[in-house]
Amino acid sequence: MFEQFTDAARRVVVLAQEQARERGADRIGSEHLLLGLCQAADTGGAALLAARGVTLAAVEQDLGAAEGPDLPDRRALASVGIDLDEVRERVEDAFGPGALENTRAAGFRRRRRGGHIPFDRDAKKVLELALREAVRRGDRSLGTEHVLLGMLHRETGRAGTVLHARGLTLAEM
């Protein structure tokens, strides 16, 4: 499949892998492809996004807002009878001092130094739909604009959600 990608589209995939790695993700999601596309500013797909106000900073903000805060507010938990200090104490009694320090809640994520990070279902769907768009249009190669079109289809995960929330639709492109 990747042999049909233009150099720019391949670069988007590499940038998506880097985005996933930097965020400690176990898989490359459609959101990582979107971030990679925005990061590849000198490409057709990124230009189409930028013309509609969709920039790397805007997407990062949208994705961050969708995730919400990492930990619930201490007062909110206390209002339902949960004391975070007591929870920490009990966990450390059971599992040893610092047991919570290497958890995702504490901000720890497994970091892959190199190597392959697999695509999740949504990212695979985006790339499959991008290939279909290229074939449907009679194009001989798959470019960044096809990747963008793939993201605009329904059920393409977080990338599609962000783009649709910003008013971008497949019909518009």
Side-chain angles (χ1 to χ4, degrees):
M1 175 184 202
F2 289 110
E3 61 274 357
Q4 293 178 311
F5 280 46
T6 63
D7 289 341
R10 284 187 188 124
R11 191 173 67 199
V12 166
V13 172
V14 169
L15 290 168
Q17 183 178 32
E18 290 173 7
Q19 288 286 342
R21 186 174 286 115
E22 286 173 15
R23 288 167 169 69
D26 293 337
R27 296 187 173 277
I28 299 169
S30 65
E31 68 274 19
H32 301 118
L33 287 170
L34 178 56
L35 289 164
L37 183 58
C38 290
Q39 208 174 348
D42 60 336
T43 65
L48 289 169
L49 288 175
R52 289 162 177 79
V54 181
T55 63
L56 179 61
V59 171
E60 285 176 334
Q61 181 179 356
D62 290 349
L63 291 171
E67 289 175 2
D70 286 340
L71 291 175
D73 182 70
R74 180 180 290 271
R75 277 186 251 158
L77 289 171
S79 73
V80 292
I82 298 173
D83 179 352
L84 285 178
D85 293 327
E86 184 179 338
V87 169
R88 176 177 291 281
E89 188 177 309
R90 286 186 181 193
V91 169
E92 288 185 350
D93 285 346
F95 299 103
L100 292 175
E101 301 310 314
N102 291 333
T103 65
R104 286 188 181 218
F108 173 80
R109 294 195 175 168
R110 280 180 279 151
R111 301 259 186 232
R112 293 177 188 249
R113 294 280 181 224
H116 177 72
I117 299 177
F119 292 99
D120 73 4
R121 180 180 50 85
D122 294 332
K124 287 178 184 177
K125 187 71 170 178
V126 166
L127 296 175
E128 173 192 335
L129 292 167
L131 181 59
R132 287 185 185 181
E133 286 292 338
V135 169
R136 185 179 67 80
R137 293 171 177 261
D139 296 332
R140 293 181 179 261
S141 59
L142 189 149
T144 59
E145 62 281 0
H146 300 109
V147 175
L148 174 57
L149 290 171
M151 289 178 197
L152 290 172
H153 283 267
R154 293 281 174 212
E155 300 177 17
T156 55
R158 294 179 71 197
T161 301
V162 167
L163 294 172
H164 291 139
R166 289 199 160 263
L168 275 78
T169 64
L170 190 59
E172 173 185 319
M173 296 292 186

